[in-house]
Amino acid sequence: MCYKYPCPSKRAQGNTRTLYSLHCTRAHTGASSMAAGMNASALCFVLLVVMAAGGASAQLSTGFYSSSCPGALGAVASVVQSAVAKEPRMGASILRLFFHDCFVQGCDGSLLLDDTASFQGEKTAMPNNGSVRGFEVIDAIKVAVENICPGVVSCADVLAIAARDSVVALGGPNWAVKVGRRDSTTASFSGANNNIPPPTSGLANLTSLFAAQGLSQKDMVALSGSHTIGQARCTNFRAHIYNETDIDSGFAGTRQSGCPPNSGSGDNNLAPLDLQTPTAFENNYYKNLVAKKGLLHSDQELFNGGATDPLVQYYVSSQSAFFADFVAGMIKMGDISPLTGNNGEIRKNCRKSN
């Protein structure tokens, strides 16, 4: 038995799960009981110290590469800035890659893995197939980082940093990105199909899918503000502009001119998610929602007589509040189930495991 210092529970051990198999020794009867109890106490105390140290070493931090690859952040920013200057839409595409990665197995770079004859990745899952883009920019960043620090910076971290730099490049807020993630060797096709909120989602489903990732309704509304940049395909907003009533009629007509009513016709035609400034990161997205000019059904659900209406109105009145909550949400999302320590790997090529 333990004396004064109880053995740590499984919950307290964090990532040091193997120590759960260790048990406190039970002291024998007689004169040795007190000594045995004290020895057991010492053992439990040492285990607690070791586990605390192990947990601390596995945490993400903003300075993870400050010694091992001090040029990493600059290398990422350079490639992102060039790509966004060439095609402003790319900023939204890279940000979306990060969202879709983190919602499946956590922020582990699994989305970046290509399919092979023996491996099914996430790129062909319904929310991603023919839709996610920007992989060549991530490839270019990885090459740039490998040139200065071979085998040090993970693809998962490249994507996290690139998402921040994309927001900044389009006029949005800046923040310190926590890094130290490692790359997965697996992917989840079913996870991509089930975890990523579809554009047909109602408020309850959106809330549930974000909650499953540890994100609050406030996080959800703030992170949805990423739709202040980028474009969507006709197939994803056709039903909203033709069949639904929670939409401004003039706006619906404008969008119908570029999106035929029948499936299979013009499915990939694009329209800006933010009617006003699709290449500038600000709060016009929320102003559009209040005016019933949300492009996607899931967008307009955030302002449709439900619990999130007041928050949308708050972000309309205060862009700084939106920026602050968006940053908080991005940091929180970036903390979803990272691989750290000896888990995963540092891929040489983001498209395939080593």
Side-chain angles (χ1 to χ4, degrees), residues 194-274:
N194 294 322
N195 297 354
I196 298 171
T200 55
S201 294
L203 183 58
N205 189 45
L206 287 170
T207 302
S208 175
L209 289 171
F210 273 77
Q213 304 299 331
L215 298 170
S216 68
Q217 199 170 64
K218 180 180 181 180
D219 297 325
M220 177 186 77
V221 177
L223 290 172
S224 294
S226 62
H227 285 181
T228 192
I229 53 175
Q231 302 187 59
R233 296 184 299 156
C234 167
T235 187
N236 288 326
F237 60 82
R238 176 182 282 122
H240 181 52
I241 64 174
Y242 281 103
N243 303 331
E244 299 178 1
T245 58
D246 59 337
I247 184 170
D248 177 83
S249 59
F251 172 68
T254 299
R255 292 282 72 93
Q256 288 170 6
S257 65
C259 180
N262 297 321
S263 179
S265 176
D267 285 358
N268 292 322
N269 292 355
L270 297 173
L273 286 161
D274 179 345

Side-chain angles (χ1 to χ4, degrees), residues 63-73 76 141-158 161 179-183 339-341 343-350 354:
F64 189 85
Y65 297 119
S66 58
S67 297
S68 60
C69 192
L73 296 180
V76 176
I141 296 172
K142 181 62 173 175
V143 169
V145 172
E146 286 293 302
N147 284 340
I148 58 174
C149 309
V152 174
V153 181
S154 68
C155 297
D157 278 344
V158 162
I161 300 165
V179 288
R181 301 169 189 81
R182 289 169 65 85
D183 298 320
L339 296 174
T340 57
N343 296 315
E345 63 181 11
I346 304 297
R347 287 185 215 141
K348 298 175 182 176
N349 180 336
C350 292
N354 296 339

